[in-house]
Every structure is written in C-alpha cells, then in structure tokens.
Amino acid sequence: MSKPLFTRRRICLAVAALSALGASFAQAQEPWPSKPLTIVVPYAPGGSNDNFARVLSKGLSTALKQPVIVDNKAGASGNMGTAFVAKSAPDGYTLLVVSSSLVTNAAIQPKLGFDAAKDLAPIAMIAKGPFIVAVNNDFPAHTPKELVSVLKASPGKYAYASSGIASTNQFATEQLKALSGTHILHVPYKGIGPATTDLISNQVQVLISSGPSIMPFVKGGRMRAIAVTSAQASPIAPELPPMASAVPGYNFEAWWGLLAPAGTPPEIVNRLNTEVNKVLATPEFKEFLLKEGALPAPMTPAQFASVIAADIPRWRKLAQQQHIVPE
C-alpha cells in the first residue's frame, strides 16, 4: 500500500510544479504594460525635469492605459535617482526623466556608481532649448560682439555667476570663454536664485541660464538679455541674436529626455519612443514647452543614444581644458 501512496505524492508534486511553472510562464508572457509605470525624477519637485515628467506622464498614461507615477528621488546632483534607475529591473516599468546634466555630471565625475552611456537605455529626447546670455544693466555691452569686445579689453575684470560648480550654466559660459578667448571670473552659487539676485545688484556682471530663470527679470527691466546660446536664432526668444554671431562655433542647448535601465527589451523602448513622440506633437505639449523655454525634440532611440555618446567626451574635454571640477 505504501508504494502507490508514494507514487501519488510524487504525481501531486509534479502537477503542482508544472502548474507553478505554467503560471510563471503565463505571467512572463503578459503583454506590456500590465501594471503601473514609474517615472523617476532625480531632482526635487518644481524644476524643469519634474514639470516635464508630470505633463509627459499624463500623455503616456492615456496612451498605455496604465497609471504613470512620478517619483522624485533627489540627491547628489541628480545622481542618486539616476543610479536607482540604472540598477532597476529592465522590464519597462521604471523610467527616468533627466536633463543634459546627465552628461555634464558624467564628464567630471568618473565614479558615479553607474555608466551614463552603458547602464541606461535612451528612449526619447523630450525637448531641448537654448540658454539666455544676460548682463547687469550697467554692463557696457548690448550685443554679442560688444560683449566679447568688452571682455577681451578687460580680462579678469568682470565675473559671471552660475548655479554651482559643474552646473550646465557653468559649462555654457566656459565654452563661451574657450571659443572667444576671453577671461571672466567664475562665482558659483547654490542655486540660480541667489545668482540672479547678485547679477541684478552688480555683484557679478554676466549670467547664462535658462529662459524661465532669466526672462521674467529681463521683462521687468532688472537685467538685460543680449543673446541666445543656440547656433541659430530661436523661437524661445526670437528677438535675440545667437551668441554664435560673434563667436563662431558656439552652441549650447540644454536637453531633457526619457531613459530606462539598459537591457530593456527593444520592443518596449520602441513603443515608448512612439508614444512620447506622439505627445510631443500635440499643440498642448508644444505650448507647455515654450513656456518652459524649450522646443520638442523628437528622435529615435538610436539618435538620442548618439547624442549622449557624443556629449560626454565633448564636455569632458572642455572640463579638462577649463579646469571645471566638482566641489
């Protein structure tokens, strides 16, 4: 009697194992997405990355028929949240919205805990936009050519502000210095707020930063905008000439994009790219971006990956040339 009982137990165990395997296989084959997605923003709420992520999440949620949650994981200049995504499961459910600070950070910090070019899968560029070159109202320059002329005539006499060491606006200004052959002192601040305050009070004379950070003060008559940092004139501020009109080759545009952990299946990456680009094409999103000082920048995943791959060595070279180092 014992042998049949033993056999029945083995059969029951085998059936249970096959059932569990079948359930696991069925779950693995569930069409993506079958649960909510999370977009990690590696900065505090309220900035451009957060604003873009929250508007984009609404469009993706509608398209994918799943909730898309925005999760702010601020810290270490954006590196903490970025590392979290880089180390997450590559299943299409954890995504990252980040700006071009991803590549400037990678250019100066070799030990981030992740490789910006290898550990993340670029999905879609969301937007890009030029910075604005602004000066104090008492500064004796009103055009790009006059700015270069004044700085060349008095090397080291004037100072420029940034929102911090190795910030994107420091990179934008150091690139201008390198290409124009000028020398202007750097005064780093802990954020763009105190930098604009000291520009207005003439503690510093030049500030290159995003349109939303600068244009309200320009329109209020508290500082003067003289150029955009894009290679050509921009719809962001069509009344301003490009700085490249006086400094050939100068071009600095910030960008924002959506990424996933490396290894995310190509079919998921391509689906997300398609849906993001559909959102970018809507009049509502274009209007929103314009208010944020940016324009839609639809790309394929491969095109976005090539931007990141080219930017890191480019900014690393500038950082070495201009001695840009982290605090």
Side-chain angles (χ1 to χ4, degrees):
M1 296 293 292
S2 61
K3 187 173 182 179
L5 179 60
F6 177 72
T7 303
R8 286 197 297 273
R9 284 177 178 171
R10 292 186 66 179
I11 291 173
C12 289
L13 288 171
V15 170
L18 287 171
S19 298
L21 182 61
S24 176
F25 181 78
Q27 185 178 15
Q29 295 299 306
E30 278 186 319
W32 177 93
S34 59
K35 62 180 182 180
L37 288 71
T38 298
I39 295 179
V40 172
V41 175
Y43 298 98
S48 59
N49 294 270
D50 184 64
N51 293 340
F52 290 169
R54 292 186 186 278
V55 177
L56 182 63
S57 69
K58 294 177 182 177
L60 289 179
S61 180
T62 300
L64 301 174
K65 296 180 173 55
Q66 288 289 345
V68 179
I69 301 161
V70 175
D71 183 12
N72 296 88
K73 291 185 180 296
S77 300
N79 294 324
M80 188 175 77
T82 303
F84 174 84
V85 175
K87 296 174 183 177
S88 295
D91 54 11
Y93 290 102
T94 304
L95 309 174
L96 173 74
V97 163
V98 73
S99 68
S100 44
S101 60
L102 173 73
V103 291
T104 54
N105 283 338
I108 61 166
Q109 299 184 59
K111 297 180 180 179
L112 292 174
F114 63 90
D115 188 316
K118 296 179 180 179
D119 295 337
L120 294 165
I123 294 171
M125 186 176 283
I126 300 169
K128 63 180 180 179
F131 281 174
I132 306 295
V133 181
V135 296
N136 173 267
N137 282 335
D138 294 329
F139 189 75
H142 293 76
T143 67
K145 288 184 179 180
E146 289 176 356
L147 173 62
V148 173
S149 177
V150 169
L151 295 180
K152 281 188 172 182
S154 304
K157 177 180 178 180
Y158 300 106
Y160 81 87
S162 80
S163 58
I165 292 177
S167 59
T168 50
N169 46 20
Q170 183 189 6
F171 271 87
T173 314
E174 291 296 333
Q175 184 190 38
L176 177 60
K177 286 171 57 179
L179 291 175
S180 63
T182 56
H183 175 56
I184 179 171
L185 301 174
H186 176 216
V187 181
Y189 291 82
K190 292 184 177 180
I192 200 64
T196 54
T197 297
D198 274 9
L199 182 76
I200 291 168
S201 64
N202 203 21
Q203 301 302 306
V204 290
Q205 289 72 46
V206 179
L207 173 62
I208 300 179
S209 193
S210 66
S213 299
I214 284 178
M215 293 310 288
F217 297 101
V218 171
K219 292 176 180 177
R222 305 183 72 187
M223 63 178 68
R224 189 168 63 251
I226 62 173
V228 291
T229 60
S230 49
Q232 306 293 331
S234 172
I236 299 303
E239 72 280 8
L240 296 177
M243 196 66 218
S245 62
V247 185
Y250 181 68
N251 182 19
F252 188 98
E253 290 190 87
W255 55 254
W256 295 262
L258 183 70
L259 301 97
T264 300
E267 59 271 22
I268 293 178
V269 170
N270 291 331
R271 171 75 188 284
L272 282 166
N273 177 268
T274 297
E275 300 303 342
V276 170
N277 287 341
K278 286 180 182 177
V279 174
L280 299 187
T282 62
E284 296 82 7
F285 199 74
K286 289 179 179 179
E287 183 179 354
F288 159 74
L289 287 179
L290 199 58
K291 292 178 181 177
E292 293 287 328
L295 299 169
M299 291 185 179
T300 65
Q303 288 170 332
F304 187 21
S306 69
V307 170
I308 293 173
D311 274 357
I312 293 173
R314 179 161 67 107
W315 296 131
R316 182 174 292 134
K317 181 179 179 180
L318 179 69
Q320 293 169 346
Q321 176 186 2
Q322 299 297 106
H323 307 292
I324 302 172
V325 293
E327 291 177 306

